[in-house]
Amino acid sequence: MHVVICIKQVPDTKNVRIDPKTNTLVRQGVESITNPFDLYAIEAALQLKDSTGAKTTVITMGPPQAEEALRQALSLGVDDAVLLSDRSFAGADTWATSRTLAEAVRKLEPVDLIVCGKQAIDGDTAQVGPEMATLLNLPCITYVRKLDLENGNESMRIERATDTGYEVLRVKLPAVLTVIREIGEPRIPGLRHKIRSKKQEIPVWGAADLGLEPEEVGLQGSFTQVVKVFSPPPRGERRLLSGSVEEMAKELVRILKSNNVPGF
Amino acid sequence: MKVIIDKNECTGCGSCVEVCPVEAINVVDEKAVVSDECTLCGMCVDSCEFEAISMPELTSKEEDLSLYQGVWFFAEQRGGEIHPISYELASTGRRLADKLEVELCGVLFGHGMEEAAKELIRYGTDRVFYVGREELEHFNEERYANVLTYLIENYKPEIFLAGATAIGRTFIPRVAASVKTGLTADCTGLDIGEDGLLHQTRPAFGGNVMATIICPHGRPQMATVRHKVMAACEIVDHQGVVEKIDVPEELLESRSELLEVIHEEDDTAQLTEAEVIISGGRGLQKAENFRLIEKLAKLVDGAVGASRSAVDAGWIAASHQVGQTGRTVAPTLYMACGISGAIQHIVGMQGSKIIVAVNKDPNAPIFDVADYGIVADLFEFVPALIKELESSSTCEID
């Protein structure tokens, strides 16, 4: 069994705060990290490696420094890594990204399962998993919280979260899954894998290696274009209530009643 | 994309050299040659009387674009009931269709929903394409994507809107990839620009930056829209039709099979539809103290939310979590009690209409997004609020 994990390096938004005066992002000293949801994807793949001896390969598309994210995945126990990096990949939207990842997966075939995080925290689109699945003509189950192989690795029994609870599904393999936190907390790197991760060679594939023309990738290969970026409008009153807790409670109920909040 | 000169047709007349605004064309050995200066403006293509110049991707696509007409939206249903996002999409779609002076069409998949389909007309839909099949009663990503792709390829709408719900976000990307066009996720603003294109505005970087996005060369221009961001407006006497559509059997095949649907039994965890959410965080100190939050929530018929730290501490189930790794919510009232307001939490609740924050620490970042701030110990304030609510409701009865 061969499991491919798709990950992304993103800016660490944990320490980012909104500047209340300018209402903009304070990005000073923000480092790059592996997208937190992708750590759950790595964990899901490693659980399959533990239980079935599956071979695991991690891929990412990004600038040369995205190699760090791949080395982190190797330190957690992933077997192999490939970096998809090419100047022509820059500025890709979800379509161009999916296209590039799909070609990389084809090059890694045979592949039984592809695991992604539910979305990346910088763009929050959640589109690359399903779009890549379509280009590979595979089913894609999103928001997966539990997975079990069945029928001699022919299919998988999946639990996926919905807006109102969850569903149990059976999906034929090969398939693409996007996973959420309930799949399992990421493990801690082991010493052996840590040492290996530092030395292991990571091949770099560019557009030509994937058989893609420069017009098919990056900004040129994208359908969507950003035409304007601006700060969101500030929120309303921002009023601190004053007085004793009883007075503030009274005032709050009055405000919420006058705003017709249901239940008040 | 690039300009191609057909060397067999080119006579080296130089008329393209004359029209090129960036001096990117030279005649070398009696043939036109395009340099890297070319900006793909297309002026030369029209200037050549021998039809020796072409810009393959651009010309063929631009011609196709005019074939796409009308604004469409996906009407989501769950358990045979039309989901409120569908009416929000209809109203937004109506506004866009009026600007473009085109038809507004809704697409509904389900079983035995012929009557329910008419509801969409009351929100300004001119035509509802209804595909009634048992196989489409419950959501299946492949079937839904196959059928919608089939409809789009046959009817060619210029704009397609869907809800940014778990369902929309799962299968709409499949459709966009199949019809080969762009898709913008989670839009909070949609308008027709002076260029006639759909201008799609969405939050990025956790909502601290807004970006406006266009899709100039792909059709339809596709967007998912967040629930509860756009208003649903009834147009009482609007006239429209429901058209039943048959689809080829093979589109209903799927490699996944639904075995069981489990609804969350705990009503207070139904966060996405709640009008009021009372949330608790680390400030609650222990699991038992969530009862205070639950009591207040029950009193106002609201749901119970939680920050990640409260969930991580094991005080409450993960289904209550609001924020980046939990649910994104937009209730009328969001009341955060003992939540400091990490950016990951704020991302999940900043779409709420009114935000109230209760925190002991006046410097807690939650106050930056709160409309009303209460700097107090939640263990004093929440009971006072409960008391106030109980006494004010008794007064009304008197």
Side-chain angles (χ1 to χ4, degrees):
Chain A
M1 180 159 193
H2 185 195
V3 183
V4 173
I5 314 140
C6 301
I7 68 171
K8 183 181 185 185
Q9 198 179 46
V10 296
D12 182 3
T13 52
K14 192 165 64 204
N15 301 315
V16 175
R17 271 203 55 175
I18 306 159
D19 183 325
K21 289 192 191 83
T22 58
N23 202 35
T24 53
L25 223 67
V26 184
R27 289 183 64 179
Q28 214 169 8
V30 178
E31 286 171 40
S32 289
I33 54 164
T34 302
N35 177 40
F37 292 110
D38 300 346
L39 295 175
Y40 304 127
I42 294 169
E43 178 58 30
L46 291 176
Q47 286 173 11
L48 287 169
K49 182 183 171 176
D50 294 343
S51 61
T52 68
K55 174 183 151 68
T56 51
T57 306
V58 61
I59 61 173
T60 191
M61 183 185 96
Q65 60 267 30
E67 189 191 305
E68 286 167 47
L70 295 175
R71 295 215 181 268
Q72 185 191 0
L74 294 177
S75 78
L76 294 167
V78 175
D79 300 308
D80 286 310
V82 180
L83 175 63
L84 312 177
S85 195
D86 193 312
R87 280 182 64 183
S88 65
F89 291 164
D93 71 353
T94 60
W95 159 263
T97 304
S98 308
R99 187 104 201 254
T100 308
L101 291 174
E103 288 308 324
V105 170
R106 283 211 178 97
K107 216 174 137 112
L108 290 167
E109 272 172 358
V111 172
D112 303 282
L113 187 71
I114 302 155
V115 203
C116 309
K118 78 157 179 175
Q119 65 198 53
I121 62 166
D122 52 352
D124 282 324
T125 72
Q127 286 173 189
V128 169
E131 287 188 350
M132 175 182 59
T134 310
L135 296 173
L136 291 165
N137 189 25
L138 295 178
C140 176
I141 309 297
T142 53
Y143 308 111
V144 173
R145 58 175 221 173
K146 192 167 184 289
L147 50 89
D148 292 294
L149 280 165
E150 27 165 63
N151 304 330
N153 300 356
E154 288 280 304
S155 67
M156 232 173 206
R157 191 184 163 90
I158 305 269
E159 281 184 24
R160 69 108 65 92
T162 64
D163 284 340
T164 51
Y166 70 95
E167 293 172 352
V168 186
L169 304 152
R170 173 172 298 125
V171 64
K172 273 190 201 148
L173 297 187
V176 177
L177 308 179
T178 77
V179 300
I180 59 174
R181 189 177 162 209
E182 284 90 327
I183 205 84
E185 286 300 321
R187 61 194 63 192
I188 291 165
L191 186 61
R192 185 167 61 88
H193 290 309
K194 230 172 165 170
I195 294 165
R196 175 177 63 91
S197 74
K198 292 204 171 97
K199 291 186 200 148
Q200 191 163 330
E201 204 167 311
I202 296 182
V204 181
W205 293 349
D209 299 302
L210 299 174
L212 288 165
E213 296 296 325
E215 300 90 74
E216 295 175 301
V217 297
L219 189 62
Q220 276 208 71
S222 296
F223 281 109
T224 56
Q225 287 176 12
V226 177
V227 285
K228 195 168 89 174
V229 176
F230 57 101
S231 296
R235 284 193 67 94
E237 278 194 76
R238 299 218 182 149
R239 210 182 113 197
L240 282 184
L241 305 190
S242 59
S244 67
V245 287
E246 288 78 15
E247 285 162 349
M248 289 193 287
K250 220 180 179 89
E251 176 65 0
L252 183 65
V253 171
R254 192 194 62 76
I255 291 168
L256 298 178
K257 265 189 206 292
S258 69
N259 278 288
N260 296 321
V261 174
F264 283 86
Chain B
M1 222 184 313
K2 64 180 172 190
V3 169
I4 295 171
I5 312 274
D6 185 338
K7 294 249 155 77
N8 296 324
E9 299 296 329
C10 180
T11 61
C13 71
S15 54
C16 52
V17 179
E18 301 290 318
V19 300
C20 180
V22 291
E23 296 178 9
I25 312 178
N26 292 301
V27 175
V28 181
D29 295 335
E30 291 185 11
K31 302 285 171 198
V33 178
V34 182
S35 76
D36 290 345
E37 306 292 311
C38 175
T39 59
L40 302 171
C41 71
M43 299 281 280
C44 53
V45 178
D46 299 330
S47 78
C48 181
E49 57 184 294
F50 306 101
E51 294 184 2
I53 311 179
S54 60
M55 247 161 55
E57 272 185 80
L58 192 65
T59 41
S60 61
K61 269 190 191 165
E62 296 289 354
E63 275 168 26
D64 283 341
L65 296 188
S66 64
L67 296 173
Y68 289 78
Q69 274 196 358
V71 176
W72 279 32
F73 68 95
F74 180 74
E76 195 169 319
Q77 58 89 8
R78 295 179 196 170
E81 263 182 55
I82 292 180
H83 188 270
I85 182 74
S86 311
Y87 302 126
E88 296 163 20
L89 293 170
S91 297
T92 302
R94 182 71 262 162
R95 182 171 54 84
L96 302 174
D98 286 344
K99 275 201 169 175
L100 290 165
E101 298 177 351
V102 295
E103 210 178 31
L104 175 67
C105 302
V107 178
L108 179 66
F109 299 161
H111 186 55
M113 292 190 70
E114 289 83 353
E115 280 305 307
K118 290 180 187 160
E119 286 295 296
L120 297 165
I121 296 169
R122 288 202 295 126
Y123 289 83
T125 311
D126 299 315
R127 191 180 296 274
V128 180
F129 292 110
Y130 171 62
V131 187
R133 291 292 299 240
E134 213 174 341
E135 296 92 332
L136 298 173
E137 192 170 8
H138 197 91
F139 173 65
N140 174 291
E141 48 109 26
E142 282 182 283
R143 288 181 192 136
Y144 272 45
N146 291 345
V147 176
L148 186 54
T149 301
Y150 171 81
L151 292 176
I152 288 177
E153 283 177 347
N154 278 282
Y155 292 89
K156 302 194 189 307
E158 62 192 298
I159 289 174
F160 195 95
L161 312 177
T165 58
I167 289 177
R169 292 179 66 145
T170 297
F171 91 102
I172 296 295
R174 274 203 96 95
V175 176
S178 292
V179 301
K180 296 191 174 53
T181 188
L183 171 62
T184 306
D186 273 341
C187 293
T188 55
L190 292 171
D191 211 348
I192 304 297
E194 282 171 14
D195 48 9
L197 294 172
L198 181 65
H199 284 232
Q200 311 162 96
T201 299
R202 73 179 302 263
F205 280 107
N208 297 300
V209 174
M210 302 299 288
T212 302
I213 292 163
I214 56 168
C215 177
H217 304 298
R219 288 294 180 278
Q221 305 162 78
M222 296 183 74
T224 62
V225 176
R226 284 196 183 171
H227 181 26
K228 293 186 176 179
V229 169
M230 299 182 192
C233 317
E234 260 186 82
I235 308 173
V236 182
D237 49 2
H238 190 81
Q239 300 294 310
V241 290
V242 176
E243 217 172 286
K244 283 193 221 168
I245 305 280
D246 284 325
V247 295
E249 287 297 315
E250 64 263 29
L251 301 182
L252 301 171
E253 284 166 16
S254 174
R255 288 162 287 190
S256 67
E257 153 194 17
L258 183 67
L259 304 175
E260 212 179 333
V261 179
I262 289 111
H263 286 283
E264 184 72 59
E265 281 172 22
D266 178 1
D267 276 347
T268 65
Q270 299 290 359
L271 294 175
T272 45
E273 291 303 318
E275 292 276 7
V276 174
I277 297 175
I278 313 292
S279 263
R282 195 188 289 277
L284 280 168
Q285 295 166 6
K286 53 183 174 182
E288 292 87 307
N289 291 337
F290 252 99
R291 298 226 180 96
L292 191 60
I293 300 294
E294 282 160 15
K295 190 174 172 192
L296 177 56
K298 282 220 174 89
L299 202 57
V300 295
D301 200 22
V304 176
S307 71
R308 177 165 180 170
S309 19
V311 171
D312 281 353
W315 300 342
I316 189 161
S319 51
H320 292 267
Q321 193 186 322
V322 171
Q324 200 156 56
T325 42
R327 306 250 182 221
T328 300
V329 298
T332 306
L333 170 66
Y334 188 88
M335 189 164 158
C337 304
I339 294 176
S340 62
I343 189 152
Q344 290 90 338
H345 188 75
I346 289 172
V347 166
M349 48 63 97
Q350 62 189 352
S352 309
K353 290 198 183 64
I354 299 174
I355 297 173
V356 174
V358 183
N359 206 299
K360 269 198 299 201
D361 174 9
N363 297 317
I366 191 80
F367 287 118
D368 294 340
V369 296
D371 299 291
Y372 302 101
I374 290 137
V375 180
D377 187 335
L378 77 94
F379 295 110
E380 289 171 21
F381 180 77
V382 176
L385 182 60
I386 290 171
K387 211 170 146 197
E388 178 62 30
L389 282 167
E390 283 171 341
S391 69
S392 69
S393 58
T394 7
C395 286
E396 270 170 39
I397 294 163
D398 295 342

